[in-house]
């Protein structure tokens, strides 16, 4: 898989290591390309192209851009919506179908008995929306992380396993993680077949075997 941009004389290749680092030393260019990636991950047009072989992948569906890692939440709205839809699909599959039918019938019976005790005229939908049931029950993912790094790892795994993301893009993540943690994050991504792109302002730290692409302050390109 690779990520390219017409302004760049290089192609960021995500091979066996599954991670690349893009260092952009010019503040103006740094802001330009991060903003462009942000727009594309939100569904707007842009010039970044993510592809594998002859197939292109829309960044809005396959990429996640993390600008503020302190704010990541494994139970944010888009993750919970995806979780509820997946659970709803599983609720009508195989042996779960009969159990779901029983649960919905019991809920309808419960409402009917409650209605008999109420002095008001009531009505309800005969079809019970399982997604609404999950929301009412407050279903969410269990957060087992004890610290910032574990939270990042758990969030990234969810992006790959539940959200189906192909690439996760971190902005200035080296400001938060040490070299050992960077290596562990890359190992996790390899295991989950998730590509990682680290966009940094400076060349701090070792590359950890990560392919590094540099655009210096004079707009010269260097590959490591």
């Amino acid at each position: 898989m690779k990520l390219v941009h017409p302004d760049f004389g290089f192609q960021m290749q995500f091979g066996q290591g599954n991670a690349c680092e893009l260092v952009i030393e010019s503040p103006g260019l740094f802001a330009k390309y991060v903003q462009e990636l942000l727009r594309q991950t939100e569904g707007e047009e842009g010039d970044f192209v993510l592809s594998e072989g002859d197939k292109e992948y829309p960044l809005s569906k396959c990429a996640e851009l993390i600008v503020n890692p302190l704010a990541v939440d494994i139970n944010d709205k888009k993750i919970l919506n995806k979780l509820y839809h997946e659970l709803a699909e599983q609720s009508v599959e195989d042996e779960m179908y009969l159990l779901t039918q029983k649960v919905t019938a019991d809920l309808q019976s419960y409402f009917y008995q409650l209605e008999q005790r109420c002095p008001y005229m009531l009505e309800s939908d005969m079809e019970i929306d399982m997604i609404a049931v999950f929301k009412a029950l407050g279903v969410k993912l269990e957060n087992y992380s004890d610290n910032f790094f574990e939270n990042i790892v758990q969030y990234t795994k969810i992006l790959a396993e539940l959200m189906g993301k192909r690439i996760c893009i971190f902005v200035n993540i080296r400001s938060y993680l040490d070299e050992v943690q960077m290596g562990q994050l890359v190992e996790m991504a390899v295991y989950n077949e998730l590509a990682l792109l680290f966009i940094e302002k400076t060349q701090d730290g070792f590359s950890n075997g990560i392919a590094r692409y540099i655009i210096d302050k004079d707009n010269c390109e260097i590959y490591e």
Side-chain angles (χ1 to χ4, degrees):
M1 189 164 64
K2 63 184 179 182
L3 181 68
V4 302
H5 191 283
D7 290 351
F8 301 161
F10 54 81
Q11 299 179 347
M12 288 173 280
Q13 299 278 354
F14 300 90
Q16 187 175 3
N18 258 37
C20 293
E21 184 170 18
L22 175 62
V23 178
I24 307 174
E25 295 183 345
S26 165
L29 291 179
F30 186 93
K32 172 186 175 181
Y33 293 122
V34 171
Q35 286 178 330
E36 187 171 355
L37 280 167
L38 178 61
R39 288 195 297 268
Q40 287 190 242
T41 56
E42 293 178 344
E44 298 182 28
E45 295 295 322
D47 291 327
F48 280 97
V49 177
L50 180 68
S51 64
E52 188 170 29
D54 296 328
K55 184 176 182 180
E56 293 187 8
Y57 295 95
L59 291 182
S60 58
K61 294 182 178 180
C62 298
E64 182 79 9
L65 178 68
I66 299 176
V67 178
N68 182 6
L70 297 173
V72 297
D73 180 7
I74 66 167
N75 287 302
D76 66 25
K77 184 177 180 180
K78 64 179 183 298
I79 290 177
L80 287 183
N81 284 339
K82 178 67 174 180
L83 175 65
Y84 293 156
H85 279 86
E86 184 171 305
L87 292 175
E89 291 176 359
Q90 294 178 7
S91 72
V92 294
E93 292 180 354
D94 304 324
E95 67 274 7
M96 290 302 300
Y97 176 76
L98 293 179
L99 182 57
T100 300
Q101 292 296 103
K102 180 180 183 304
V103 168
T104 55
D106 288 345
L107 282 173
Q108 291 168 343
S109 174
Y110 170 80
F111 176 77
Y112 176 76
Q113 294 180 51
L114 191 62
E115 183 183 28
Q116 304 307 306
R117 301 171 61 89
C118 181
Y120 313 111
M121 298 291 292
L122 304 175
E123 63 178 18
S124 67
D125 294 330
M126 294 302 294
E127 294 293 331
I128 293 179
D129 182 358
M130 291 304 297
I131 292 178
V133 172
F134 300 143
K135 290 181 179 180
L137 290 173
V139 174
K140 61 182 180 180
L141 295 166
E142 181 180 1
N143 191 337
Y144 56 77
S145 62
D146 294 325
N147 55 54
F148 168 75
F149 176 63
E150 289 181 358
N151 191 49
I152 288 293
V153 170
Q154 185 179 8
Y155 183 77
T156 308
K157 289 179 65 176
I158 290 169
L159 291 178
E161 296 173 355
L162 176 63
M163 303 300 289
K165 300 296 185 179
R166 299 293 305 273
I167 181 171
C168 185
I169 305 168
F170 288 96
V171 178
N172 287 330
I173 192 64
R174 286 187 182 274
S175 298
Y176 303 90
L177 304 181
D178 60 32
E179 295 302 320
V180 173
Q181 292 171 329
M182 290 288 291
Q184 292 173 342
L185 183 60
V186 171
E187 288 178 5
M188 179 280 302
V190 171
Y191 180 80
N192 287 279
E193 298 182 347
L194 178 71
L196 298 179
L197 173 61
F198 305 120
I199 302 180
E200 299 289 333
K201 179 69 172 59
T202 61
Q203 302 178 45
D204 292 338
F206 299 102
S207 66
N208 299 99
I210 300 170
R212 179 179 281 173
Y213 305 87
I214 303 168
I215 304 175
D216 67 16
K217 292 181 178 180
D218 298 321
N219 204 23
C220 294
E221 298 178 356
I222 305 169
Y223 322 132
E224 295 182 353

